[in-house]
């Protein structure tokens, strides 16, 4: 255990050694074996460059751009680059694009929803229309901002919504329609042009959540992939978000929210002058903002450059195709969709091949995948976010997937104790007492010395999968609360 405030300060070298020691418990952020959370281009020297740029600006405060023009210059350069990648800027169909740098995709989406909500003050009960596959951050935005969600179902075959259903969901209180390019879970691009057209016809803003893949789709198109229009070239698209800390390969903490023009952005801002302190104008949620992530992103983009991103997209494409072939070669596994971006997502068609057990078997072989729960008609699946660093590893993945599937079959599906399964299926979140939480946690071995380890999560995942989303949310809150406990000296 480490103590953050020792009685006597610890020498710098020792502190760094301690941090390095703590980091050894983490999943490997480099090496092409982690298919979620991190985006690794495997570009030599990039970490060092981004780290140095980060350090140069870490203490700069984005609170006041007039005091720190370096930050404003780098932010504006990032916005210009993102706009260019996404079909905006001089000599395009969207010459007046403007934007802001935010801390991540979630903040960009919250601000897109806020801007749309506040542009329609006459709507007292604002609503947001999204496909059911839209990122959970929209639900968070709705929750924080008091905007109700209208979820449009997606087809189990195409994983996309029907445009007629989107049109039907738009009502007088709809302040925003949003869609994904692509969705996180399956990497599928929504029918953006058609959705934007129905939104425009209804006089409603349309946001394209390109947080995940907005930086790769244009490069994939340049490589010959059939990528449908999803950016500012599409009439009716009023805003787009793209995360630089994903496929632009910048360190965490940077996303860009773009609006087609400054008028659309105005309601995103928050200004306050009615207090005795400094007058405040914030484009985003945070007030004080470190310049570190912005400088690091600026350095990353400049170092990789347009030609570099094209090469990285090519390598990623090669990896995606190799991984998809590996999945196709295993009987009992089925791709949820033919890959059209940088996601490989697959499910099991065989009851004896339990996906959650398979995910564990891959983990013990050093492949860190992301299990996804069943949702409506959609089965549970395994998600792989593929980055350029995966390409050299693909040849090793195929045989390991075959072996992992064979061992998962041998182990057989997870069988929850009957009473636990019944409890998960019938319990309502309100009925969840601390005793029941402790019982459920104990039933799956959480907190026990021989309980689940990061390598063996199948039982936990099966319990969560058996619970309805509302109960699952509550269990997650409770289980997470068990993790967030102070370390005392
Ligand atoms: C499509 C999409 N939107 C939004 C987000 C949220 O991004 P962040 O985790 O940076 O807040 C993600 C994250 O994976 C995403 O894939």
């Amino acid at each position: 255990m480490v103590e953050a405030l020792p009685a006597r300060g610890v020498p710098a070298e020792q502190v760094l050694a301690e941090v390095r020691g703590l980091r050894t418990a983490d999943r490997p952020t480099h090496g092409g074996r982690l298919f979620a959370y991190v985006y690794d281009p495997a570009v030599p020297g990039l970490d060092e460059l981004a780290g140095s740029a980060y350090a140069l600006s870490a203490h700069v405060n984005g609170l006041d751009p007039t005091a720190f023009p370096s930050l404003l210059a780098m932010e504006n350069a990032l916005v210009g680059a993102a706009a260019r990648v996404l079909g905006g800027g001089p000599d395009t169909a969207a010459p007046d694009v403007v934007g802001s740098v935010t801390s991540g995709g979630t903040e960009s989406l919250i601000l897109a929803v806020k801007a749309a909500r506040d542009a329609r003050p006459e709507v007292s009960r604002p609503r947001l229309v999204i496909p059911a596959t839209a990122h959970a951050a929209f639900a968070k935005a709705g929750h924080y901002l008091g905007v109700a969600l209208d979820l449009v179902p997606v087809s189990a075959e195409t994983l996309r919504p029907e445009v007629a259903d989107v049109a039907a969901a738009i009502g007088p209180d709809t302040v925003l329609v949003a869609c994904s390019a692509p969705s996180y879970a399956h990497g599928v691009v929504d029918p953006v042009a058609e959705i934007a057209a129905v939104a425009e016809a209804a006089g409603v803003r349309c946001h394209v959540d390109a947080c995940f893949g907005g930086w790769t789709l244009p490069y994939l198109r340049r490589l010959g992939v059939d990528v449908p229009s999803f950016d500012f070239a599409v009439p009716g698209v009023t805003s787009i978000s793209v995360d630089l800390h994903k496929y632009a390969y910048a360190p965490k903490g940077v996303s860009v929210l773009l609006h087609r023009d400054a008028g659309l952005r105005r309601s995103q801002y928050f200004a306050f002058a009615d207090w005795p302190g400094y007058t405040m104008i914030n484009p985003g949620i945070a007030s004080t903002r470190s310049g570190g992530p912005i400088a690091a992103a600026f350095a990353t983009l400049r170092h990789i450059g347009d030609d570099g991103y094209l090469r990285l997209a090519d390598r990623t494409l090669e990896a995606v195709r190799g991984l998809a072939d590996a999945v196709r070669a295993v009987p009992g596994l089925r791709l949820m969709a033919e890959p059209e971006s940088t996601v490989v997502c697959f499910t099991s068609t065989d009851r004896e091949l339990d996906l959650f057990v398979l995910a564990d078997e891959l983990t013990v072989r050093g492949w860190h995948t992301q299990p996804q729960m069943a949702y409506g008609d959609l089965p549970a699946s395994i998600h792989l976010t593929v980055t350029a660093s995966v390409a050299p590893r693909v040849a090793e993945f195929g045989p390991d997937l075959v072996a992992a599937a064979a061992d998962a079959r041998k182990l057989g599906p997870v069988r929850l104790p009957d009473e636990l399964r019944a409890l998960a299926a019938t319990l309502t979140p309100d009925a969840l007492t601390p005793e029941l939480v402790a019982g459920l946690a104990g039933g799956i071995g959480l907190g026990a010395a021989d309980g689940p380890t990061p390598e063996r999560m199948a039982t936990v995942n099966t319990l969560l999968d058996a619970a309805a989303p509302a109960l699952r949310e509550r269990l997650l809150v409770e289980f997470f609360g068990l993790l967030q406990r102070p370390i005392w000296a």
Side-chain angles (χ1 to χ4, degrees):
M1 280 300 159
V2 279
E3 187 189 337
L5 187 62
R8 285 170 172 275
V10 172
E13 268 317 307
Q14 187 184 331
V15 176
L16 283 178
E18 288 165 357
V19 174
R20 275 189 210 104
L22 286 169
R23 289 275 292 101
T24 59
D26 294 346
R27 296 202 163 182
T29 52
H30 294 73
R33 285 175 164 265
L34 174 53
F35 292 110
Y37 313 116
V38 301
Y39 298 77
D40 177 18
V43 171
L46 186 64
D47 277 2
E48 292 72 18
L49 169 67
S52 302
Y54 194 110
L56 278 173
S57 295
H59 295 285
V60 167
N61 193 342
L63 174 64
D64 183 351
T66 61
F68 302 104
S70 70
L71 205 53
L72 186 62
M74 287 188 275
E75 280 204 63
N76 286 343
L78 292 176
V79 169
R84 272 284 182 221
V85 167
L86 293 166
D91 308 320
T92 71
D96 302 322
V97 168
V98 293
S100 305
V101 172
T102 75
S103 64
T106 300
E107 186 180 358
S108 289
L109 297 185
I110 291 175
L111 292 173
V113 176
K114 177 200 163 347
R117 182 197 69 173
D118 290 357
R120 298 276 303 278
E122 77 286 2
V123 178
S124 56
R125 292 173 189 274
R127 307 187 73 85
L128 162 65
V129 173
I130 45 170
T133 44
H135 194 273
F138 283 112
K140 186 171 178 179
H143 179 72
Y144 281 15
L145 297 168
V147 176
L149 257 48
D150 289 310
L151 290 184
V152 180
V154 298
S155 140
E157 278 84 54
T158 65
L159 305 168
R160 291 178 241 271
E162 289 295 333
V163 178
D165 293 340
V166 176
I170 300 174
D173 293 337
T174 305
V175 294
L176 183 67
V177 175
C179 53
S180 316
S183 63
Y184 177 80
H186 311 114
V188 163
V189 182
D190 283 329
V192 174
E194 293 85 347
I195 291 176
V198 296
E200 191 175 33
V204 175
R205 293 183 182 214
C206 177
H207 179 79
V208 177
D209 176 8
C211 284
F212 180 60
W215 203 268
T216 38
L217 289 176
Y219 289 100
L220 292 177
R221 186 185 287 135
R222 280 163 60 180
L223 292 167
V225 177
D226 184 17
V227 175
S229 279
F230 71 96
D231 59 18
F232 283 114
V234 177
V237 168
T238 50
S239 57
I240 308 183
S241 49
V242 61
D243 292 355
L244 304 186
H245 63 199
K246 293 192 170 80
Y247 280 100
Y249 296 118
K252 305 273 179 260
V254 188
S255 169
V256 176
L257 172 60
L258 301 167
H259 296 272
R260 195 177 274 276
D261 61 51
L264 292 162
R265 182 178 60 180
R266 190 164 295 114
S267 48
Q268 172 199 316
Y269 289 169
F270 178 81
F272 196 74
D274 198 11
W275 75 307
Y278 55 89
T279 46
M280 195 172 79
I281 164 70
N282 294 154
I285 294 173
S287 204
T288 282
R289 289 188 299 146
S290 169
I294 291 163
F298 178 76
T300 302
L301 263 67
R302 277 194 66 75
H303 186 58
I304 295 180
D306 186 60
D307 58 338
Y309 283 113
L310 192 62
R311 273 196 303 278
L312 291 170
D314 198 18
R315 223 169 287 160
T316 307
L317 186 60
E318 176 195 329
V320 165
R321 290 180 172 157
L323 295 172
D325 285 345
V327 172
R328 282 192 203 96
V330 178
L333 294 182
R334 174 177 72 81
L335 289 169
M336 288 289 290
E338 280 304 313
E340 53 188 84
S341 57
T342 54
V343 170
V344 174
C345 180
F346 57 94
T347 187
S348 167
T349 52
D350 180 346
R351 281 170 164 268
E352 293 312 306
L353 180 51
D354 183 318
L355 274 187
F356 297 140
V357 178
L358 176 62
D360 285 355
E361 287 302 314
L362 285 168
T363 309
V364 294
R365 287 169 174 79
W367 300 99
H368 306 278
T369 65
Q370 196 167 49
Q372 301 182 138
M373 310 286 140
Y375 174 85
D377 296 345
L378 308 181
S381 56
I382 288 182
H383 166 108
L384 311 180
T385 287
V386 185
T387 56
S389 65
V390 177
R393 300 263 88 89
V394 171
E396 300 154 33
F397 183 77
D400 276 352
L401 183 64
V402 170
D407 281 355
R409 280 179 198 281
K410 262 186 238 150
L411 285 168
V414 171
R415 306 227 183 273
L416 286 181
D418 285 346
E419 61 284 3
L420 211 57
R421 184 173 284 280
L423 205 59
T426 56
L427 203 64
T428 58
D430 298 344
L432 205 62
T433 60
E435 293 71 31
L436 274 173
V437 172
L440 283 167
I444 53 173
L446 275 183
D450 59 350
T453 60
E455 282 78 36
R456 292 287 171 199
M457 293 299 286
T459 312
V460 176
N461 284 328
T462 305
L463 174 75
L464 292 173
D465 195 46
L471 176 63
R472 200 186 299 162
E473 287 160 8
R474 185 65 205 287
L475 285 171
L476 289 171
V477 169
E478 297 299 334
F479 292 165
F480 200 76
L482 296 174
L483 297 178
Q484 285 208 304
R485 279 174 305 194
I487 293 175
W488 304 113

